[in-house]
Structures are given as structure tokens and as C-alpha cells.
Amino acid sequence: MATATLTIDLNAIIANWRALDAVSAGGTGAVVKADAYGLGASRVARALALVGVRHFFVASADEGADLRHALGPGLEINVFSGHMAGDTDMINDMALTPMINSLDQMVRHMESLPGHAFGIQLDSGMNRLGMEPAEWAALREIALAQNPTLIMSHLACADEPDHAMNAQQLNSFVEMTQGITAPRSLANTGGVLLGPAYHFDITRPGIGLYGGLPFTDAQPVVTLTLPVIQCRDLEAGETVGYGNIFTATRPSRIATLSAGYADGLIRAMGPNLQAYAGDTPCPLAGRISMDMIGVDITDLGEDPKSMEILGAHQGIEVLADAAGTIGYEILTSLGARYTRRYTGG
Ligand SMILES: *Cc1c(COP(=O)(O)O)cnc(C)c1O
């Protein structure tokens, strides 16, 4: 087989959701934006719906429409970007719930879809989306009279438990939602782990479901296996790949794997990664190319058919560290060329 295989363990995603749900004071939703962080929103959301998830969150109305096709009617699909110009028909036809972010969006929603469900997003200090305190104060009575389904805000520093921003945003959110009976939501994965004061009625974990930090107890979800295209012998002094950055210091055997930076295995990771033949790690040899990766298999003693570059031995956080980024970016960069295979669910 010529293409690499990305295996997604739906049971691990379910176990991660259940573990976060078990420590949540209220209900637990699931964030499946960006195609469930690259893992396939329809498969992931269907598996989660079967175990009782009722509140899903996406970034845009388009993502919401795709998710509605996968889930069918009934379950709540909340859209972080709210009600944008041009979204009205989709919000209506696909029964999406926009999180209203501003006075403009509020007016658009009430004029174009009176009586249609909506939530409110408040800005508690992140300064990215949502109404600021003054705007909210002016709109509050009108909005609450229309029975919003959710009042939410988002934490900027929840993955750093000791950061002063957490308590500051919590106070601001509590202040802005004083006396409100509508369901409230503040916590992403990091917020769930900050404790019950941050949970309110519904939590919104994303990365923790997919096995990423800050949920240190998460079960690993993804395994990436790359087929070996070719193996060759090198004499000492010969080089591998672009820029000749690898020079054999002994007679060596090199395997060429089928995947590269076009598939999200970015060049910067190279020197810090291993490829695994079963349980045996082998160092990469030479630069990661667009579609290929060289591996020094000299000490392996045999030619493997495929090698694992992401999985139980070497998780998304190892790849993230190797590239100087975060697990979120590793997952969402995993390319479209992989054959995605689902287990469990
Ligand atoms: C992405 C996102 C989440 C999920 O965050 P994680 O850190 O992945 O758990 C929750 N709420 C909002 C508004 C988001 O944009």
C-alpha cells in the first residue's frame, strides 16, 4: 500500500470524554471544530452522540451544516462565530445555534430569524470573540427576554493553572452573568481541570478528547503508520536527502518512508524524531522531504514493511515539542493524503 494510514481510536475518544465528564460538575459537551481537530468530525461526533453527548461546538456555520448531515436532527450544534452575514439560511435549515458575539449579530439574528435558538458569547478578557461588558450591559435585558440557550465565554490561559488570568476571567464571567438562569459555559479542557468553580452548566472540551495536553491522563487516540517504499545500503561517507545533512559514519541501511511535510510531518521535527519498527526506535536520516522521510535502520537488522511515527511510543506532544509547537497544531496539520481508519466506537 502506497499511502500512510492514520488510525483513530474512537473508544479512546469516548474514554477521554467520559473521564472529563466524570470530573465535570455539570454537563459535558464536545468541541468538534476543524473537522474534530483533523480526526474526522462526522465519525467522532456520531461516536460521542451514541454515548450521550448532546451539545456539540463548531467554529462556523459551514462546519455546523456538515455536522448536522452526520448527526441528523435533535442534538444541539453551537457555532462559535455566531450569526454572520450570509449564514442565515444555513442556520435556519440546519437548525444551528449561533453564539451571538456582538450587537450587529444580535440585530441580524432577531431581524432575520426571530424565535430561532441562539446563545450569547461574552468576552471575559481574551479579546477575541464575544460582547464586552459595556455592550452586554446595553443588550442584556433584550437578549435575556429571548431565552438564550447558552451564555458562554472562553479562557485564554486555562492550560496554565497558576496563571492569574484564570481567576480574573472567572470573576468577570460571574459578574456579567449574575442573576441569569440560562445555562452557562466557561471551561475548555484546561478549564475542566481547573476545578468545579470553572464548570458551570456545560463544559466544552476539545483537545482532551483527542489525547492532547493539558489533559495528562488522556488515552492516546491517533497512530500514524508509514509504508516503507524502498531500502538501500550506504557506504561510510555517503549522504542522504536534500542538503546532505546526514552522512553515514559506517556502512548503513536506510529506509525511505512514504509521507513528509506535505502531510503535516514538518521539516523542523526531523532531528528530534524516531520512527518505530514495532517497539524499536530508529533515528531519522536526512531532511524530511515533501513526501518522503529517510530512516537509519542499520541496527534493526531487517527491512520493515512499515514504521510508526506517531502513536503509543511517540505521542502528539513529542511531535509538538520536536517542532516547537502544540499538540493542537500537530493534529490539525495531519494531511488529507492519509487513509483514515477508525477503530472502536
Ligand atoms: C477550541 C475551543 C474550545 C475547546 O478548547 P480545548 O482547549 O481544545 O479544550 C472551547 N471553547 C472555545 C470557544 C473554543 O474556541
Side-chain angles (χ1 to χ4, degrees):
M1 191 169 65
T3 57
T5 304
L6 184 70
T7 305
I8 295 143
D9 184 349
L10 294 172
N11 284 346
I13 295 178
I14 290 168
N16 291 336
W17 182 81
R18 286 195 165 129
L20 291 168
D21 185 46
V23 298
S24 289
T28 308
V31 177
V32 294
K33 65 191 181 194
D35 202 24
Y37 294 39
L39 301 186
S42 9
R43 294 299 297 266
V44 168
R46 281 206 301 262
L48 288 172
L50 283 175
V51 298
V53 179
R54 290 291 166 267
H55 309 274
F56 292 92
F57 294 86
V58 293
S60 66
D62 295 81
E63 288 185 354
D66 289 344
L67 189 60
R68 180 61 75 202
H69 283 299
L71 288 177
L75 303 175
E76 197 177 284
I77 299 177
N78 299 297
V79 179
F80 290 140
S81 59
H83 192 148
M84 295 178 67
D87 284 351
T88 303
D89 287 347
M90 208 177 264
I91 288 171
N92 190 40
D93 298 348
M94 298 294 156
L96 308 178
T97 307
M99 299 292 112
I100 301 296
N101 287 299
S102 63
L103 171 63
D104 282 358
Q105 289 200 349
M106 190 74 211
V107 170
R108 180 180 296 127
H109 190 71
M110 288 172 69
E111 286 183 349
S112 61
L113 294 177
H116 185 101
F118 69 96
I120 298 280
Q121 184 153 203
L122 301 176
D123 177 35
S124 53
M126 190 174 182
N127 285 312
R128 197 180 63 168
L129 276 183
M131 298 184 209
E132 304 213 353
E135 195 175 17
W136 174 231
L139 263 180
R140 193 181 144 119
E141 291 316 315
I142 299 166
L144 292 180
Q146 311 288 317
N147 296 318
T149 55
L150 193 67
I151 313 266
M152 61 163 283
S153 188
H154 190 44
L155 297 166
C157 303
D159 54 343
E160 297 175 58
D162 297 329
H163 204 295
M165 184 69 165
N166 295 318
Q168 198 177 309
Q169 286 193 267
L170 175 61
N171 291 337
S172 165
F173 186 62
V174 166
E175 220 163 85
M176 281 195 279
T177 58
Q178 208 82 57
I180 287 177
T181 54
R184 292 183 289 176
S185 174
L186 178 63
N188 60 345
T189 301
V192 174
L193 303 172
L194 290 178
Y198 289 82
H199 294 172
F200 296 92
D201 300 290
I202 295 166
T203 57
R204 307 186 309 271
I207 192 72
L209 306 178
Y210 311 116
L213 289 179
F215 187 26
T216 43
D217 294 337
Q219 291 191 16
V221 168
V222 287
T223 307
L224 179 56
T225 309
L226 311 182
V228 174
I229 308 173
Q230 194 181 7
C231 297
R232 75 183 61 245
D233 290 318
L234 265 61
E235 287 171 23
E238 286 194 281
T239 57
V240 175
Y242 288 120
N244 286 4
I245 65 162
F246 175 92
T247 305
T249 56
R250 56 176 178 167
S252 301
R253 189 147 179 90
I254 301 293
T256 302
L257 311 185
S258 172
Y261 61 76
D263 305 292
L265 299 170
I266 66 173
R267 270 167 101 243
M269 292 174 183
N272 303 310
L273 279 199
Q274 315 273 336
Y276 282 80
D279 294 328
T280 310
C282 304
L284 299 202
R287 280 210 182 117
I288 294 175
S289 319
M290 189 182 291
D291 321 292
M292 276 166 271
I293 297 175
V295 182
D296 184 349
I297 56 166
T298 313
D299 294 328
L300 191 61
E302 59 177 6
D303 293 350
K305 287 205 162 47
S306 64
M307 301 189 85
E308 192 181 292
I309 202 134
L310 170 61
H313 293 295
Q314 185 169 254
I316 55 175
E317 303 303 338
V318 177
L319 267 61
D321 284 347
T325 182
I326 53 177
Y328 299 72
E329 192 176 4
I330 297 300
L331 287 178
T332 54
S333 302
L334 293 170
R337 294 197 289 189
Y338 300 131
T339 301
R340 278 167 168 71
R341 198 168 73 79
Y342 293 87
T343 62

